Amino acid sequence: MKQAIQQYLEKHGFEALRPKAVLFDMDGVLYNSMPNHAIAWQRSMEKFGIHMTEADAYATEGARGVDTIRMMVKKQQGRDIDEAEAQLMYDEKTRQFHALPETSIMPGIPELMKQINADGLTIGVVTGSGQRPLINRLLKDFGDYLDESHIVTAYDVKHGKPNPDPYLMGLQKAGNLNPWEAFVVENAPLGVKAGVSARIFTLAVNTGPLANEILENQGANIVFPTMTMLSDKWRELMASLS
């Protein structure tokens, strides 16, 4: 871990990594929700004549839903649609998602958040979603550690992941922090790329079907096989900072 930290500091010319916040992605990180999202994407897009596979859902995970829809429509129908039309289609995806059974909290997350909180770090969430029921659930499940003012949604930024904007907004909401004052925790290629583009030390957790190399190739500083492993290694990670 010390080597990964040193490489990060050298790459960006930073003096030290002094985290004051941890910025979590939501789907596939805090919740085991990606299987349901994949189903909802396929069912909803079919209604609009768009063929979307499970692989497409995972490949575009982390992006704003409206951006994914505009990309798929352009690719398959050759049309450029505005954000308002994409939002109407995304509303159907939201309806389909909430018709499915509620997803579970990712194993390892409660223990990890407890450790982060004990270390005095701010916990934030940076998600490509903007669905109010999901935000309400975040506050219900993690209200002991998470304040709504530290949540970044699709509606807080114009350019979603893989652009750095969502995580730059996360730094701002966490207290106008510098990139070397936070960790990003991600599971998706687009999200990892966003964290890396924001110059934040990015921890990738491979909770999906992708090969570790895909996350590494997007620039992840460390890749963990499970969230439980990250929780188990948290003390070691913090000790590596000194």
Side-chain angles (χ1 to χ4, degrees):
M1 291 189 187
K2 278 186 175 291
Q3 183 179 0
I5 292 170
Q6 189 59 38
Q7 289 173 344
Y8 163 81
L9 296 175
E10 290 175 359
K11 176 182 177 181
H12 297 292
F14 296 151
E15 180 182 335
L17 180 58
R18 299 191 179 98
K20 297 179 180 178
V22 180
L23 306 177
F24 287 94
D25 177 40
M26 181 175 67
D27 293 305
V29 171
L30 298 180
Y31 297 107
N32 187 22
S33 50
M34 278 309 298
N36 279 11
H37 277 292
I39 292 170
W41 272 120
Q42 292 173 83
R43 290 178 178 175
S44 60
M45 291 304 99
E46 186 178 8
K47 291 178 177 290
F48 300 99
I50 297 295
H51 177 66
M52 192 164 182
T53 66
E54 180 183 34
D56 290 330
Y58 278 96
T60 57
E61 179 187 356
R64 296 196 314 158
V66 291
D67 292 338
T68 296
I69 289 168
R70 293 175 77 176
M71 181 270 292
M72 295 295 289
V73 170
K74 177 67 172 179
K75 181 179 177 181
Q76 295 190 21
Q77 298 181 350
R79 297 192 299 124
D80 290 308
I81 63 173
D82 60 21
E83 190 145 338
E85 183 177 351
Q87 182 63 54
L88 288 174
M89 297 169 71
Y90 184 62
D91 289 344
E92 173 61 19
K93 187 265 175 177
T94 299
R95 188 189 71 78
Q96 292 280 356
F97 179 79
H98 289 293
L100 295 168
E102 187 172 78
T103 55
S104 59
I105 295 174
M106 192 68 73
I109 280 292
E111 296 80 7
L112 178 57
M113 283 203 175
K114 185 179 295 185
Q115 293 181 81
I116 294 170
N117 185 64
D119 287 336
L121 277 63
T122 297
I123 290 176
V125 174
V126 178
T127 175
S129 173
Q131 303 172 31
R132 188 66 219 181
L134 294 180
I135 307 307
N136 290 341
R137 188 181 176 197
L138 281 173
L139 297 172
K140 175 176 71 74
D141 291 340
F142 306 114
D144 290 343
Y145 312 116
L146 178 66
D147 184 276
E148 185 164 2
S149 63
H150 296 143
I151 299 175
V152 177
T153 75
Y155 302 118
D156 287 312
V157 294
K158 183 176 181 180
H159 303 291
K161 303 172 187 177
N163 297 288
D165 305 41
Y167 281 111
L168 294 176
M169 179 63 72
L171 291 175
Q172 184 177 324
K173 287 196 172 192
N176 293 315
L177 301 181
N178 296 299
W180 62 85
E181 294 179 309
F183 288 127
V184 161
V185 182
E186 268 284 356
N187 74 308
L190 296 184
V192 169
K193 187 173 182 179
V196 171
S197 296
R199 301 189 300 162
I200 305 171
F201 195 90
T202 300
L203 306 169
V205 184
N206 196 354
T207 62
L210 304 175
N212 285 350
E213 290 76 13
I214 294 177
L215 301 175
E216 293 167 355
N217 290 341
Q218 294 301 326
N221 297 103
I222 303 175
V223 178
F224 294 91
T226 64
M227 197 61 65
T228 300
M229 178 65 75
L230 172 55
S231 180
D232 291 344
K233 294 289 187 179
W234 179 256
R235 293 265 63 85
E236 182 180 339
L237 176 61
M238 294 300 287
S240 299
L241 299 175
S242 56

